[in-house]
Amino acid sequence: MAFFNAAPFNGIHPADEKSATRYKPVEHLTTKDGDEFYLFLSQHIGAPAQCIVKKGQSVLAGELIATASGFISANIHSPVDGIVQSIDLSADHPVSGKAPCIVIKAVEQSGEYMRIDREITNIADVAKVAGIVGLGGAMFPAHVKLSPKNQLDTLIVNGAECEPFLTCDHRQMLERTWDLVQGALLIKDALKLKEVIFAIETNKRDAIRSIESMAGNKARVQPLHQIYPQGGEKQQIFTVTGREVPEGKLPSDINIILHNVSTVLALRDAIVDRKPLISRVITISGGVREPKNILVPLGTPISRLVEACGGIKSSRRGRKIIIGGPMTGCTAQSLNIPSYKGMNGIVALREPLFEPKTQPCVRCGRCIEACPQNLSPLMLESYARNSMLEDLHSHRLLSCIECGACSYACPSKRPLKNLFKLAKPAVMGYAKNLSV
Amino acid sequence: MDNNNKVNNRFVLSIAPHIHAGANTNRMMFMVVVALTPAIVMSVLLFHRSAVVYAATIISALLFEAVCSKIMGKEHTLGDFSAFVTSILLAMNLPATAPVWMCIVGSFVAIVIAKMVFGGLGCNPFNPALVARIFLLISFPVQMTTYIAPSMGGVDAVSAATVMSAAKVYSQAHGGLDGYVLPSAYQSFLGFQAGALGETSAIALLIGGLFLLLARVITWHIPVSFLCTAALLVCTHHWAHPDAILPPLVQLFSGGLILGAFFMATDYVTSPLYPAGKLIFGAGCGVITIMIRIFGNYPEGVAFSILVMNAATPLLDRYLRPRAYGEASIFERDVSK
C-alpha cells in the first residue's frame, strides 16, 4: 500500500454511517409497464437541453430525447422503452421547486438500448454524445473536462466518497473493479497522460486492495485519511499531488483531470459498450426500513426508490429526506422528485428536526480549523452580515467551496455556509467591477 | 405520482449541512469553570473568607447580566456560563479581604461597562474581568492591595504583602534585593503565599490549564509563547543583575502569570484568531508583563499586558490571516487590486 499523504487541511470528522449499505451489492430496479419516468431538461451545469421529441412519440431506451444546447450543456436519453406522455412541469425539483421535464411512460422492455454510433471515437465526442456529466454531484459536462486546451499529465479517479451514508462509489469500485480500471486507462490513453491515481479513503480498504491488485503497475492507488471534504476536487488534488489549483483556475490549468468513480464507469460504458448515460447507482440509506444501493434508470421518482427500500421509518418528529449526502445535499419537498444524473444518494434522516438555536460567535476558531480552503468563516460572517464587499473579497469569500464544514463545526450553530452562499453573487459582481 | 402529495407538507426543509458536530458554546464555557475548580478549591482552603468574595462577585455578576439583557430586550444569556466565568476570574483577581461592596462594583464594571455596553457575549474588545481589576486597582488601591497570609489551619488572618510587592518595596528602598530573604519557588508553586485568590497556587492553575489544553478548549499558542517569553526575559535579566529581581521560578509561579497565561489571555473573544497572531499576542503579553515587573511602579503587570495586547488583537487578525488555498502568497500578490 502506498504511503499516506498528510492532509493539507484539518477538515472535520463526521461519523461515516456507511455500515448500513457498504456490504449490500448493487441491486437493479426493474421497470414495469406503465411506470413513469420524469427527465429534467437540465440535469447538468450549463444551458438546459433542448427537447427533440413530441408528445405521443414512442422512444427506445438510449434514444436521444433532448440535445445539448451549447458547449456547456449535455444530451439526455430515454432511460426506457416507452411513449412520451408529455413535456411539462409535473415533477418537483429539490432546488428550483418545479422544472421542465419530459415524461415517459414505460412499455414492455426489450432489455436493449440504442447504441452510440461506432464512428465516433474521440473520447470527448463520445462523452458529449452519451450525455455524461460529473456524477459525483457537480454535474459538470464531462466532455468539457475531456477536451483540455493544454496537455494534461495526471488523471485522479476520485473514490474518496467522503459524504456520510453514501456507498454507491464504494460498491462500484468493488463490483466493477476491472471496468473502472479499464475506464481510467482509456482516459489515460486518449489524453496521453503520464499517470493514473485512484484516490480512496481508508474506510474502504477492500476497495483499495481490489483496485491495487487489478491495476497492477498501470495505476497508483493513493489511500487518503478519512476527512471531510477529502473528496473535494481542490482538496484531493492537493493531497494526492501536492499541487494547488490557483484561485479562479481549473484543475486543467495545473495539468490535472479529476473524475468521480461513477463518471469514469459511465465513460467506460459509453466507449466500450456504446451505452449512453441512462442509469446510475444511488445509495438509499438512513431511516428507510432496508437501506440499499440501487442501479436506477434516470427519471425514476424517488417515491419508487423509497418503496423499493421498504419505505421510510415513521417518526413523530417529522421527516427529512436529503437528496445527496447530509453535508451538501438538499432537502426534498416531496417524493415526486425524479432521480437525475447528479443524484448519488437519498438519505432519510432519523432525527430530522435539527433547528438549533444560534448563539453569538465567541470567536473560538473552530470554523477556521475546519475550513479546507483555509478561510476565516467567522470573519467572513461578520463581513457578510454588514455587506462589506471589499473585505469579503479580500478575505477570499469566492474561494469558499460551500462544503459546510464550518457550519458543522460551529459550537454556536451559526449558519455560516448559508450566509456565504447568499453573499457570493454580490461579491462576484464586486470582483467583476474591480477587474474592468 | 400525485398520491404522494398528501405527505408533502410533512417533509422538513433546510439548507445543508444537515448534521452537526454537536459542539456547544455553553459546554465549552462550562469547561473553563471545570478547569478553574482546582484553583477555586485551593483558594477557599487557603483563605476561608474567599468564599464570601466568590459568592458576592458571582451573584452580583449574574444579576447584572440578567438586568442588562432585560434592558437590551434580549433573551437572558445566563445559560452560556460566560458571565459565570468572567465573575470567577474577577474574584480570582481580588484579595481575600475585598469588601463585598467592592466585589459588586467590580462585577458592575466587568459585566455592564466592559461587556454588555459593547453588545454582550462576543462583542467586547477587552477582557471584562481584567478591565474590572484595573478599574478597582486604580480606584481603590488600598483595598486592592491588602492581602492576608494563608490560614490553612483556620488561624486568624494576618495581613501580609505578596511576594511581588514585598520585593518591589524592598528593592525600591534598598536599591536592590541584596539582603532580602527570598521565598522558595516551592512555596509559590503550591500556593502558600499571600496574593489575590487566583494568583497563589500555581499547581492548581496548571492542572486546570492542562485540562483546557487536553479538552481542546484552548490551543497551546498563547500560554506557551506568553510563559516562554516571560521566562526568557526574567532569566536574562536575573542572569545579568541577580540582585535586581526575584529569581525566575519565583517570578513564574507568583503573581498572576499562570492565571493570565492560561485563563485570561486565551479568552476567545479578546485574543487573536490565527496561530501567528496568537504567538505574537502571547509574546507581547510576556514582554509587557516583565517590563512592568522590572521597571514599572506596580509590582505586577499581567493584567495591564493582556489589556494592551487585547487592543492589538483586531490588528493581528487583520494582517496575519493565513494564506487561503490557491491564493497567491503575500510576496506574489498584486497589491494594486
Side-chain angles (χ1 to χ4, degrees), chain A residues 86-387:
Chain A
S86 59
I87 295 130
D88 58 15
L89 291 166
S90 61
D92 288 341
H93 192 282
V95 178
S96 48
K98 292 275 182 193
C101 60
I102 302 172
V103 186
I104 293 172
K105 192 167 199 162
V107 294
E108 200 185 338
Q109 299 297 304
S110 64
E112 270 303 309
Y113 55 85
M114 265 178 85
R115 280 156 208 276
I116 301 168
D117 193 347
R118 291 251 167 221
E119 305 282 290
I120 304 167
T121 49
N122 179 299
I123 190 165
D125 294 342
V126 175
K128 191 169 167 79
V129 171
I132 294 170
V133 301
L135 297 181
M139 301 190 280
F140 190 74
H143 64 267
V144 180
K145 276 190 185 178
L146 289 166
S147 31
K149 288 183 279 293
N150 48 326
Q151 174 63 44
L152 308 181
D153 56 31
T154 308
L155 165 70
I156 300 174
V157 181
N158 184 348
E161 206 165 43
C162 57
E163 274 269 11
F165 290 101
L166 306 188
T167 55
C168 52
D169 287 352
H170 183 192
R171 285 313 305 177
Q172 291 186 90
M173 284 191 275
L174 288 174
E175 293 170 28
R176 301 189 60 194
T177 315
W178 170 241
D179 290 350
L180 179 63
V181 174
Q182 188 188 16
L185 294 178
L186 283 168
I187 298 173
K188 181 189 175 193
D189 292 343
L191 298 180
K192 301 185 176 60
L193 306 176
K194 287 198 197 87
E195 199 182 11
V196 175
I197 304 170
F198 290 88
I200 304 168
E201 277 193 358
T202 48
N203 56 354
K204 295 178 267 290
R205 288 195 183 279
D206 42 0
I208 294 175
R209 272 194 297 272
S210 64
I211 291 179
E212 261 180 353
S213 61
M214 199 69 88
N217 55 7
K218 296 190 196 75
R220 182 158 74 84
V221 178
Q222 174 68 62
L224 305 171
H225 285 298
Q226 195 190 330
I227 300 169
Y228 178 89
Q230 189 69 268
E233 188 175 65
K234 292 173 175 176
Q235 280 60 45
Q236 187 159 89
I237 288 174
F238 191 76
T239 319
V240 171
T241 65
R243 290 182 227 172
E244 229 173 280
V245 185
E247 276 178 334
K249 295 281 170 71
L250 296 169
S252 63
D253 294 316
I254 52 167
N255 308 335
I256 287 171
I257 178 167
L258 186 139
H259 275 301
N260 171 268
V261 164
S262 296
T263 317
V264 173
L265 281 168
L267 274 168
R268 180 257 165 216
D269 291 345
I271 298 164
V272 179
D273 300 340
R274 312 310 288 181
K275 185 182 181 183
L277 181 60
I278 55 173
S279 61
R280 70 155 298 149
V281 180
I282 296 179
T283 301
I284 299 130
S285 189
V288 288
R289 288 215 169 68
E290 208 188 326
K292 278 177 183 173
N293 302 296
I294 312 185
L295 180 68
V296 178
L298 294 178
T300 314
I302 61 173
S303 54
R304 225 146 61 215
L305 303 179
V306 170
E307 240 165 67
C309 295
I312 303 167
K313 283 183 198 163
S314 58
S315 162
R316 277 182 295 119
R317 304 181 62 185
R319 296 185 292 180
K320 188 195 264 189
I321 311 279
I322 302 164
I323 307 292
M327 285 305 297
T328 54
C330 36
T331 45
Q333 69 271 46
S334 73
L335 293 176
N336 292 358
I337 296 167
S339 66
Y340 50 88
K341 290 175 181 176
M343 186 190 284
N344 48 5
I346 298 166
V347 179
L349 275 197
R350 274 162 291 207
E351 286 195 11
L353 279 185
F354 174 60
E355 284 163 20
K357 214 178 115 207
T358 57
Q359 283 180 295
C361 171
V362 292
R363 296 171 35 107
C364 69
R366 296 276 163 103
C367 52
I368 299 175
E369 250 174 63
C371 182
Q373 290 287 86
N374 241 354
L375 303 177
S376 183
L378 70 91
M379 298 297 275
L380 289 172
E381 190 207 357
S382 62
Y383 295 146
R385 286 192 187 274
N386 296 300
S387 309

Side-chain angles (χ1 to χ4, degrees), chain B residues 214-261:
Chain B
L214 292 178
R216 291 187 57 237
V217 175
I218 58 171
T219 59
W220 57 270
H221 304 83
I222 293 175
V224 168
S225 76
F226 193 162
L227 293 176
C228 287
T229 313
L232 188 78
L233 288 177
V234 169
C235 289
T236 340
H237 196 73
H238 190 259
W239 172 72
H241 307 286
D243 285 343
I245 60 165
L246 289 166
L249 277 181
V250 178
Q251 286 268 8
L252 286 183
F253 295 140
S254 315
L257 200 56
I258 306 281
L259 181 71

Side-chain angles (χ1 to χ4, degrees), chain A residues 361-364, chain B residues 29 120-128 266-273 310 313 317:
Chain A
C361 171
V362 292
R363 296 171 35 107
C364 69
Chain B
M29 289 289 182
L121 178 62
C123 305
N124 48 303
F126 296 102
N127 189 318
T266 54
D267 171 36
Y268 288 144
V269 180
T270 54
S271 67
L273 294 167
N310 282 166
T313 295
D317 279 347

